[in-house]
Amino acid sequence: MQQRKNLNRMLGVAALAMMFGSASVYAQSTGTTSSGTAGGNTQSGATSGSSGTGSSGASKGSSSSVAKADQKMMRDLAEANLAEIETGKLALEKSQNDQVKAFAQKMIDDHTQSQKELEQLAQQKGVTLPTETDMKHKAAAKALSALEGDKFDKMYMNQVGVRDHKNTHQLLTKAQKNAKDPDLKAMAEKTAPIVNNHLTMAQDQTGKKSSSSGSSSAKGSSASGSGSTSSNK
């Protein structure tokens, strides 16, 4: 009888031990799973945060471009410079007039310098400039190349010297007033007096013949008047 009691007691203790052991194993298993899930969430969150930051950085890195109107002004100025250089070289080849050739050389020198400065500015601003003149300037250069002697000199000085420089000066004046880019505006302010000087030189040279003929006429009239006076006397 006593032995049966002892046996029952041992069986009960064994059963309790098994129950506590199962509970401990279950708790460890659950804790590990929770910890793994939490770690996964943390890693996922870090990845998401990293991804979000990278996207934000990319959007901040975008650069602004020069206004379209300013880009057009720069291209027009480049075409004007290239035309002056091209026709200046043509004048050096074809003209026999020293004054015309001196003017042509100055056009080559000054407009080559202006073009270099414009190209540097365009490169800084990410603007692509033309590498040759437009169709209008090409047609004018072709017409010039067909002329010789005094006819060439007259057309070169009137068309390139006067008319083209008037157009370029107007373009520079417009850039000074309307350009949104401060560097383009500053370059226009610097170049305008140079172009205006070219225009004055061309007007003086083209006006020499008419000026001298006018003074001759005036002298003739004066002589005629003197003759009348002395006749009256």
Side-chain angles (χ1 to χ4, degrees):
M1 189 71 177
Q2 184 64 33
Q3 289 179 354
R4 185 179 296 177
K5 284 183 180 180
N6 290 338
L7 180 61
N8 288 338
R9 189 177 299 162
M10 289 174 64
L11 288 173
V13 170
L16 286 171
M18 288 178 66
M19 288 175 63
F20 282 118
S22 298
S24 175
V25 170
Y26 176 76
Q28 288 178 3
S29 172
T30 306
T32 303
T33 305
S34 301
S35 172
T37 306
N41 289 340
T42 303
Q43 185 174 4
S44 172
T47 305
S48 301
S50 168
S51 165
T53 305
S55 170
S56 170
S59 62
K60 286 180 181 177
S62 58
S63 58
S64 59
S65 59
V66 176
K68 288 184 179 180
D70 286 3
Q71 291 185 38
K72 185 179 185 306
M73 287 179 197
M74 293 172 75
R75 287 193 292 270
D76 289 345
L77 285 171
E79 287 172 351
N81 283 330
L82 293 171
E84 290 290 345
I85 296 166
E86 182 182 344
T87 53
K89 290 177 179 178
L90 185 63
L92 289 181
E93 293 174 8
K94 295 181 74 70
S95 180
Q96 300 301 314
N97 186 306
D98 289 340
Q99 290 180 329
V100 171
K101 292 176 83 169
F103 178 82
Q105 186 61 61
K106 185 166 181 60
M107 297 308 100
I108 295 170
D109 295 342
D110 289 355
H111 284 280
T112 297
Q113 182 60 35
S114 294
Q115 182 64 10
K116 283 181 182 177
E117 293 176 5
L118 183 61
E119 286 173 355
Q120 288 175 355
L121 178 63
Q123 188 175 7
Q124 291 171 6
K125 305 293 180 180
V127 177
T128 303
L129 296 179
T131 56
E132 58 182 16
T133 58
D134 57 357
M135 296 305 295
K136 181 181 176 182
H137 283 109
K138 282 181 180 179
K142 186 176 180 180
L144 267 175
S145 63
L147 300 176
E148 300 290 342
D150 290 342
K151 288 183 179 179
F152 173 87
D153 293 343
K154 185 177 180 180
M155 184 174 181
Y156 173 71
M157 292 305 303
N158 281 296
Q159 179 176 294
V160 179
V162 177
R163 192 181 70 185
D164 285 357
H165 279 94
K166 279 183 178 179
N167 292 337
T168 303
H169 194 267
Q170 287 175 359
L171 180 60
L172 289 166
T173 302
K174 182 180 178 182
Q176 290 179 70
K177 291 180 180 178
N178 301 332
K180 292 181 173 59
D181 187 274
D183 295 326
L184 174 58
K185 187 172 287 193
M187 193 200 70
E189 289 173 355
K190 177 185 175 182
T191 310
I194 298 171
V195 171
N196 190 51
N197 182 48
H198 295 170
L199 176 58
T200 302
M201 289 172 63
Q203 287 172 331
D204 287 346
Q205 193 158 326
T206 55
K208 281 181 180 178
K209 289 183 180 179
S210 59
S211 166
S212 75
S213 65
S215 58
S216 298
S217 301
K219 284 180 181 177
S221 300
S222 173
S224 172
S226 298
S228 305
T229 306
S230 53
S231 249
N232 290 334
K233 284 180 180 177

